[in-house]
Amino acid sequence: MREVYQEQLGKLADELASMSAMVGTAMERATKALLEADLSLAEQVIEEDSQVDEARARAEEHAFGLLALQAPVAGDLRTVISTIHAAEDLERMGDLALHVAKTARRRHPNEVLPEDVQEYFAEMGRIAVKLAGRVRSVIQTQDVDSARGLEGDDDEMDDLHRHLFTVTMSPEWTHGVAAAVDVTLLGRFYERFADHAVAVARRVVFVVTGKMPSA
């Protein structure tokens, strides 16, 4: 029975790792759609978002099933509860990629981003995809040091996010209010994506150590 139970816990981790891959791919495609005004790619991200929602529902159903039928304690209970919270964070990461894709679709055939901020979003997209990949890895390996290392990538994202404010508020900004609003909202989407990735990594630390890292 114990072996079967551990196998079920392993399946929970596999489901979260799969979600991490899905949201990373979604943000990669959404960023490409944003930078290249690619409508078909934006539509693909929007259409496939339901798959992330379904994956969260499956993970939560399995987690609640373990709570109801197996009555886990100690470390096993931490794993099950953390799965529920992590699935929520990962779904929100998918939603943020969805918001980026919808912005690209809404402005099509025009480009959303002025040329002088495109490089910042290309870098934010790169960091976001990297974070999703690292989240997948730490879920699979439960490597505490690697999980804590996500904080550095999140700091890079925060720095870029803050810099966008200086760009849009500069007297040299000539692209109007609508473009400034788009840039501000999009920057927030990427920043929140990174925050949720770090939240999942902190859950992994909690599962392994029994202590939740401070935010």
Side-chain angles (χ1 to χ4, degrees):
M1 286 294 293
R2 182 65 182 172
E3 290 181 2
V4 172
Y5 186 57
Q6 288 302 313
E7 181 180 343
Q8 292 174 325
L9 290 177
K11 288 181 179 179
L12 285 179
D14 290 342
E15 289 173 336
L16 293 182
S18 177
M19 287 185 71
S20 301
M22 291 167 68
V23 299
T25 298
M27 185 55 93
E28 184 175 29
R29 290 172 175 168
T31 300
K32 185 176 175 64
L34 181 69
L35 294 172
E36 300 180 7
D38 188 326
L39 180 60
S40 63
L41 203 54
E43 294 282 9
Q44 182 179 4
V45 174
I46 294 166
E47 181 178 346
E48 293 180 355
D49 179 66
S50 61
Q51 297 176 15
V52 179
D53 298 339
E54 291 166 2
R56 176 192 176 179
R58 286 194 300 271
E60 288 186 339
E61 180 180 358
H62 294 163
F64 283 122
L66 288 175
L67 283 176
L69 299 177
Q70 302 292 344
V73 295
D76 292 345
L77 181 60
R78 290 200 303 270
T79 298
V80 175
I81 296 299
S82 293
T83 294
I84 295 169
H85 287 291
E88 179 182 3
D89 282 306
L90 288 163
E91 186 200 12
R92 289 180 179 177
M93 290 167 71
D95 289 341
L96 290 159
L98 173 68
H99 294 334
V100 174
K102 284 185 173 181
T103 303
R105 182 179 68 175
R106 185 171 64 251
R107 298 301 187 194
H108 189 270
N110 298 318
E111 291 187 343
V112 179
L113 301 172
E115 185 176 350
D116 47 354
V117 297
Q118 289 185 6
E119 64 180 295
Y120 300 118
F121 281 93
E123 181 63 8
M124 293 173 87
R126 183 193 68 79
I127 294 171
V129 174
K130 179 182 177 182
L131 280 165
R134 292 189 67 180
V135 164
R136 181 184 184 185
S137 177
V138 299
I139 288 170
Q140 293 171 322
T141 65
Q142 295 199 326
D143 186 325
V144 170
D145 290 337
S146 182
R148 288 171 172 154
L150 268 72
E151 301 279 356
D153 292 320
D154 183 47
D155 288 343
E156 290 184 52
M157 185 73 85
D158 289 340
D159 289 343
L160 287 165
H161 182 230
R162 283 191 293 267
H163 184 67
L164 287 174
F165 283 107
T166 67
V167 173
T168 56
M169 297 299 291
S170 169
E172 297 177 4
W173 180 262
T174 60
H175 307 290
V177 173
V181 170
D182 281 340
V183 167
T184 300
L185 288 175
L186 286 164
R188 179 63 172 165
F189 297 154
Y190 284 92
E191 188 259 346
R192 290 300 297 153
F193 186 97
D195 286 346
H196 285 295
V198 170
V200 176
R202 287 176 177 151
R203 292 287 172 188
V204 173
V205 175
F206 173 65
V207 167
V208 176
T209 68
K211 296 180 180 180
M212 178 66 77
S214 59

